[in-house]
Amino acid sequence: MVNDVLAPWNLAVTVPPVVGAMTTVPWPRGLALGLVTSLLVGVVPGLLIWAGRRSGRYGDKFLRDRRHRPRFLAVVTGLVVLAWVVTWALGASASSLVFLGVMVLMAVIAAVVSRWWKISMHSMVVTGSVVLLVVLDVRLVPMLVLVPAVCWARLVTSAHTPAQLAAGAVVGAVLGVVAGIA
């Protein structure tokens, strides 16, 4: 259940409106721009995975077969860039635009590494998201418990090795800090 609820595409739907609202004045504008981002970087990729599973292209919703990841992540990268351009044109905050830039970096890193190894996108995205939110508002520190919860869920389902989870978490933490302090 943790694997599903905190899957990267679900975080890509929920985190951008929160970041937008936290970093934009007035906050409803940031929320609205975050929802535009959510549509492009969360909903559309989720639908692509769903369609890929229905057609037989993907064996599962987590793209466990790393051969499927680079092409999919190239599409996701394009969608994040599109979200950046659209939200920039609509006046997104600098913090929201940096956040989208970090999302591009995450997708590119995951795509490149996936050519040779299976880095955990779950741990990368949850760690990056939570660290960013904590940097933006220290009162959100309790959310850090989500990181080990996701990592443990990925480990016990044999989706990743400890090294794959740690690598994803380190990349996510670094990029979360970068997005938060920029």
Side-chain angles (χ1 to χ4, degrees):
M1 180 156 157
V2 171
N3 285 323
D4 291 325
V5 172
L6 295 173
W9 55 85
N10 287 337
L11 292 172
V13 169
T14 57
V15 174
V18 174
V19 170
M22 291 174 77
T23 62
T24 306
V25 178
W27 71 264
R29 178 178 177 76
L31 178 68
L33 292 171
L35 290 170
V36 170
T37 297
S38 295
L39 176 66
L40 291 170
V41 304
V43 174
V44 172
L47 290 172
L48 291 173
I49 289 174
W50 176 81
R53 289 187 66 214
R54 285 194 50 114
S55 71
R57 175 177 285 216
Y58 302 140
D60 66 282
K61 63 187 167 190
F62 297 125
L63 302 181
R64 285 189 174 108
D65 185 343
R66 66 180 171 80
R67 294 173 297 171
H68 298 289
R69 290 176 170 204
R71 181 180 298 163
F72 177 77
L73 289 167
V75 172
V76 169
T77 300
L79 290 166
V80 177
V81 170
L82 176 61
W84 191 96
V85 170
V86 169
T87 58
W88 171 79
L90 295 172
S93 70
S95 295
S96 292
L97 296 173
V98 169
F99 172 56
L100 284 166
V102 164
M103 289 178 80
V104 168
L105 283 174
M106 278 188 178
V108 168
I109 290 168
V112 170
V113 171
S114 291
R115 310 256 315 134
W116 299 277
W117 195 56
K118 191 178 165 194
I119 193 167
S120 174
M121 291 187 290
H122 273 73
S123 69
M124 185 187 310
V125 173
V126 74
T127 305
S129 298
V130 170
V131 167
L132 167 61
L133 293 172
V134 168
V135 169
L136 293 175
D137 187 344
V138 72
R139 294 173 296 177
L140 299 176
V141 163
M143 290 183 69
L144 288 169
V145 301
L146 298 176
V147 174
V150 167
C151 289
W152 179 254
R154 301 302 287 161
L155 188 64
V156 298
T157 59
S158 300
H160 290 287
T161 66
Q164 293 165 338
L165 292 162
V170 168
V171 171
V174 168
L175 293 177
V177 169
V178 168
I181 63 174

